[in-house]
Amino acid sequence: MAYALQQLINGLTLGAVYGLIAIGYTMVYGIIGMINFAHGDIFMVSAFIAVTAFTLLAAFDITSLPLAITAVLITAIFFTSAYGWAVERMAYRPLRGSTRLAPLISAIGMSIFLQNMVQLTQGARVKPIPPVLEGGIEIWQSGGFTVQISWTQIMIVLITIVLMVAFTYLITQTAFGRQQRACEQDSTMTALLGINVDRTISATFMLGAALAAVAGVMVTVYYGVVDFFIGFVAGIKAFTAAVLGGIGSLPGAMLGGLIIGLIEAFWAAYLSPEYKDVATFAILILVLMFRPSGLLGRPEVEKV
Amino acid sequence: MSAVIIARHARTPAERFKDAAWVAFVALLLGIPMVGLTTVDQGGALTVQTRFGMLGAFVGVSFVGRFIFRWIIDQFRNRRAAKAAVAKVDRTPQVIKLIGWVVLGASVTMPIMFSDNRYVIDTATTVLIYVMLGWGLNVVVGLAGLLDLGYVAFYAVGAYTYALLFSHFGWTFWEALPVAGAMAATFGILLGYPILRLRGDYLAIVTLGFGEIIRVILVNWTELSNGPNGIGSIPRPTLFGLPFDRNPAEGTQTFATFFGIEFSGMHRIIFLYYLILVLALLTNVFVSRLRKLPVGRAWEALREDEIACKAMGMNVTNVKLSAFAIGAMLGGFAGVFFAARQGFISPESFTFTESATILAIVVLGGMGSQMGVVLAALVLVLLPELGRNFAEYRMLLFGTAMVLIMVWKPSGLLSSREPTIRLNKAAATGGQP
């Protein structure tokens, strides 16, 4: 029981991270209908920026924890958004309105490029950072097993909740959110009404990248190690989460992320850690077979 | 998406300068965390190292590069606008056909010209493997329009089928070839049946998942596949029972002794080259013939409009499954050849990057174009090969090439598509002259 509770906590933490990345996929898919394959690598770039920023702060002897984490978050969000914008501008915008496959190939190319760029400039070795936030609270003890929530886990969940509230407000209540949703529904009509569609799409990419940046910082703090290949697996899982929740739906992405995180944690704990990726994909296939629009997605009507 | 036509005026030098400066600024932003700063391990702890010289060079190159690039693009555009004014007969199909024959001639005579250069023939063999894989995937993606991101799974199934049949039952290459093809096709049907009703992008991600599942199983199911260590000492194919060994086993003959020529390691390399050439050409003939059969036309109809196909009473599932199975089978054949050529296989060879490369070959070549696949395979295999002298830039170059070719020609290098059937004049006008 205690063991299961611990897995629940671990799974929720992991799920929060997947959810944050999944939002980037779901928003981009919603607005231009493409799988942004390089999104996982944007997340990886952010993790590397976080490593550099933490090391830099340590070198300047800034030890105040809230200050350090805020500074790293802001730095990572700033630079990662720049990456999100640049990727869209270089690899996707020239291809708008061409065949459906072209942007996908260009995205895969971008993903390969980013991975190798980071490998070249930052080195292929795993980068460990000293623990940023240590300790936690013991919440329950039973049968010699202690259930513990670490401060890092609490921080990850709290930041995710705050971001989700802010993000929901941004999308549902502000002028930008209205423009964004309008572009999603009908970009031609939106353009006719005088809204700069290109700019809205760019902003969507930057927002997605910003959330991935937060996820990147969290993962760096949580695991303490980063390498250039983490983007691929995390990206695929997050995409699975987005599809599971219903692509195009923001709460769906978060829900999908949590479910994937939980499945992964429990599968690894009770069944077999080697096959946890297989479990994720198997669930994706099952969901798509029986509920192709995802858990919270609107069923898509095919028009002739 | 709205088509907006923007009137272009000649850019002034100031505008060009501003444009390049903006690009340089973005390069600076992107470069600071990746190029300008890096962390190095010093005595167990990371320290930050600055590389401002490199960052400066990066920004400078971006500025100058953009300036020149913009200028070339503008020149090119003006010239093309002038050219477009002159009406021209489109001879592309004939030209492509001619190039096809030239390439075929070159590939048949190539080993004779380079008969002592192992590297060239090895590279050419790799190109041909990709050409064959590209032609196989072309059935699924190019003709039937089903986006498959896990094609490498079928390649792996083929390779492992041969390796396992050999290590357990001692089957030879030629015995295993048809079985491996059938095995891969079975896997194609098994995977295809539940998922083929999914829409394009979902299908893509599920096939990607399938490819990963196969790889993870190969890594972890040690009893079956020997895990990450792979399976080694897979025998090379023989020429009608004649092996290419140096020393013949008791009472048998090798290629060299049978023809009474001196043994040379090159014989096997050249034989492998011709073998894959023949396999690839058979694939090509097979696919081109299929295209003209009802099933091939059904694939292309399906790609163009699935709803219309349903309305015409086509069994969409069966048509899709046939494309999937045939594509998988061809991938399986290529896998057997791969295993036989390498003599050793491990899950390492069947990663997602491989799937992405094959898909890139199909899409970069121009979907559905057989010649395009050849061209794209040449570009994508040779480009990293040329960069081998600075090996660490290989994949970087590969990714960049994928993006650039897509941006430059979104519909592929050879995008002109042959109509499947041409109506003759009488038929087109309803029998009236």
Side-chain angles (χ1 to χ4, degrees):
Chain A
M1 186 61 208
Y3 188 59
L5 189 63
Q6 182 70 61
Q7 295 316 318
L8 183 74
I9 293 166
N10 294 349
L12 283 178
T13 317
L14 202 59
V17 172
Y18 287 152
L20 284 178
I21 310 175
I23 289 176
Y25 278 109
T26 224
M27 282 206 311
V28 165
Y29 192 90
I31 201 162
I32 52 175
M34 70 165 281
I35 303 173
N36 179 10
F37 224 91
H39 193 61
D41 297 287
I42 296 274
F43 153 80
M44 178 269 300
V45 164
S46 148
F48 269 86
I49 294 173
V51 168
T52 310
F54 274 123
T55 320
L56 211 62
L57 285 177
F60 285 113
D61 253 353
I62 298 170
T63 45
S64 153
L65 207 61
L67 184 69
I69 287 180
T70 317
V72 171
L73 273 178
I74 290 172
T75 321
I77 289 177
F78 177 74
F79 285 113
T80 313
S81 311
Y83 267 90
W85 180 85
V87 166
E88 193 271 335
R89 183 67 191 79
M90 286 189 287
Y92 308 150
R93 192 182 293 181
L95 290 173
R96 213 161 290 153
S98 69
T99 57
R100 203 170 43 80
L101 272 179
L104 185 74
I105 295 294
S106 156
I108 293 174
M110 207 64 202
S111 155
I112 295 175
F113 172 83
L114 282 175
Q115 261 177 37
N116 286 279
M117 191 261 306
V118 171
Q119 189 189 355
L120 276 176
T121 58
Q122 302 289 312
R125 301 262 294 278
V126 169
K127 304 242 169 200
I129 60 162
V132 179
L133 197 56
E134 277 176 304
I137 352 174
E138 293 174 8
I139 51 168
W140 196 37
Q141 204 159 14
S142 111
F145 190 86
T146 313
V147 181
Q148 198 188 35
I149 308 184
S150 69
W151 293 119
T152 315
Q153 288 176 324
I154 294 178
M155 181 192 80
I156 290 177
V157 172
L158 276 183
I159 291 186
T160 308
I161 292 172
V162 170
L163 272 178
M164 283 315 293
V165 171
F167 195 72
T168 312
Y169 175 79
L170 181 74
I171 293 295
T172 55
Q173 305 292 321
T174 62
F176 167 75
R178 261 197 306 284
Q179 290 172 12
Q180 208 266 348
R181 281 179 290 141
C183 287
E184 224 166 86
Q185 284 178 7
D186 190 337
S187 59
T188 313
M189 190 62 214
T190 313
L192 286 173
L193 291 174
I195 284 158
N196 192 335
V197 175
D198 273 346
R199 189 173 294 167
T200 313
I201 292 175
S202 283
T204 304
F205 269 85
M206 287 170 75
L207 263 179
L211 291 178
V214 177
V217 176
M218 310 282 197
V219 162
T220 312
V221 175
Y222 190 43
Y223 291 119
V225 285
V226 158
D227 70 73
F228 72 95
F229 205 65
I230 56 171
F232 178 68
V233 179
I236 302 250
K237 295 232 174 96
F239 185 80
T240 306
V243 173
L244 180 61
I247 202 144
S249 149
L250 297 178
M254 208 61 226
L255 180 70
L258 289 178
I259 294 176
I260 294 284
L262 287 173
I263 289 171
E264 208 184 306
F266 278 98
W267 192 287
Y270 287 100
L271 297 163
S272 64
E274 298 91 29
Y275 286 106
K276 65 177 199 234
D277 293 355
V278 171
T280 314
F281 287 123
I283 282 168
L284 174 74
I285 293 175
L286 287 179
V287 169
L288 285 178
M289 272 167 67
F290 295 110
R291 205 179 150 76
S293 51
L295 295 174
L296 300 183
R298 293 177 297 269
E300 217 158 301
V301 183
E302 262 187 280
K303 283 183 212 144
V304 183
Chain B
M1 207 46 63
S2 54
V4 182
I5 296 160
I6 302 160
R8 293 184 194 280
H9 67 98
R11 284 189 177 74
T12 62
E15 275 175 324
R16 288 176 196 283
F17 187 79
K18 224 168 107 183
D19 174 63
W22 169 240
V23 170
F25 173 68
V26 173
L28 178 71
L29 266 191
L30 300 184
I32 287 174
M34 284 296 139
V35 183
L37 298 170
T38 186
T39 48
V40 284
D41 204 339
Q42 266 179 356
L46 290 180
T47 50
V48 174
Q49 223 173 41
T50 54
R51 293 182 294 203
F52 291 128
M54 218 162 119
L55 179 63
F58 174 63
V59 172
V61 166
S62 308
F63 181 82
V64 176
R66 172 71 180 185
F67 200 86
I68 295 172
F69 178 70
R70 192 77 254 186
W71 187 73
I72 292 174
I73 290 275
D74 285 351
Q75 296 297 317
F76 192 68
R77 203 165 261 152
N78 293 343
R79 208 159 298 161
R80 201 164 52 183
K83 230 188 223 170
V86 188
K88 209 176 85 184
V89 188
D90 186 20
R91 287 192 190 281
T92 326
Q94 286 98 310
V95 172
I96 289 176
K97 211 167 204 174
L98 188 70
I99 294 175
W101 286 110
V102 171
V103 170
L104 180 63
S107 46
V108 170
T109 50
M110 202 217 54
I112 300 165
M113 292 189 292
F114 292 96
S115 61
D116 49 357
N117 193 335
R118 186 180 170 155
Y119 173 74
V120 170
I121 295 179
D122 265 341
T123 312
T125 310
T126 312
V127 171
L128 281 174
I129 293 181
Y130 279 107
V131 168
M132 182 166 171
L133 284 169
W135 278 337
L137 185 61
N138 210 355
V139 172
V140 185
V141 179
L143 298 185
L146 304 165
L147 184 48
D148 185 352
L149 283 180
Y151 191 62
V152 81
F154 306 122
Y155 188 41
V157 167
Y160 268 90
T161 306
Y162 173 40
L164 291 174
L165 281 178
F166 164 72
S167 54
H168 291 299
F169 307 108
W171 287 34
T172 64
F173 176 84
W174 294 107
E175 288 162 341
L177 191 66
V179 178
M183 193 74 182
T186 314
F187 266 80
I189 291 172
L190 279 182
L191 165 74
Y193 197 73
I195 63 161
L196 279 176
R197 62 200 190 95
L198 299 176
R199 262 185 329 109
D201 300 294
Y202 288 150
L203 183 73
I205 213 77
V206 171
T207 49
L208 191 158
F210 178 72
E212 281 296 294
I213 287 177
I214 293 271
R215 197 179 61 82
V216 172
I217 289 178
L218 286 178
V219 169
N220 289 310
W221 192 358
T222 329
E223 299 84 53
L224 177 80
S225 65
N226 203 15
N229 297 330
I231 301 177
S233 60
I234 303 167
R236 305 299 208 275
T238 56
L239 178 70
F240 299 108
L242 295 173
F244 288 83
D245 300 335
R246 181 182 291 275
N247 300 311
E250 205 57 46
T252 59
Q253 283 186 310
T254 64
F255 177 76
T257 54
F258 184 80
F259 287 100
I261 46 176
E262 205 179 318
F263 171 81
S264 155
M266 283 308 292
H267 289 158
R268 192 180 68 216
I269 313 279
I270 294 175
F271 170 67
L272 283 173
Y273 172 82
Y274 276 119
L275 180 61
I276 185 68
L277 184 65
V278 168
L279 282 176
L281 287 177
L282 282 178
T283 308
N284 188 16
V285 172
F286 179 62
V287 173
S288 332
R289 298 305 299 172
L290 274 182
R291 267 181 99 157
K292 301 210 165 62
L293 291 178
V295 66
R297 271 185 265 142
W299 290 338
E300 290 192 75
L302 197 69
R303 176 189 64 202
E304 300 302 332
D305 195 334
E306 188 172 336
I307 295 173
C309 286
K310 278 185 192 156
M312 301 291 281
M314 251 164 66
N315 185 339
V316 176
T317 316
N318 282 359
V319 173
K320 282 182 175 176
L321 272 182
S322 63
F324 232 70
I326 287 173
M329 182 186 74
L330 295 172
F333 288 151
V336 176
F337 178 80
F338 176 76
R341 179 209 181 196
Q342 300 287 330
F344 166 78
I345 51 168
S346 74
E348 283 274 288
S349 315
F350 307 106
T351 55
F352 169 70
T353 318
E354 211 65 13
S355 282
T357 311
I358 305 166
L359 182 68
I361 284 172
V362 173
V363 178
L364 293 182
M367 294 221 299
S369 157
Q370 302 284 78
M371 245 337 264
V373 167
V374 178
L375 197 65
L378 273 172
V379 170
L380 284 190
V381 177
L382 292 188
L383 201 70
E385 213 57 47
L386 290 178
R388 187 142 275 182
N389 296 333
F390 33 113
E392 60 268 41
Y393 296 98
R394 257 181 85 229
M395 287 310 282
L396 195 72
L397 223 67
F398 180 74
T400 317
M402 264 167 92
V403 176
L404 288 184
I405 297 179
M406 271 296 107
V407 170
W408 173 47
K409 284 200 155 193
S411 49
L413 293 171
L414 294 178
S415 50
S416 73
R417 217 157 59 198
E418 277 281 285
T420 317
I421 358 172
R422 269 208 188 80
L423 297 175
N424 60 35
K425 215 171 181 184
T429 51
Q432 265 132 42

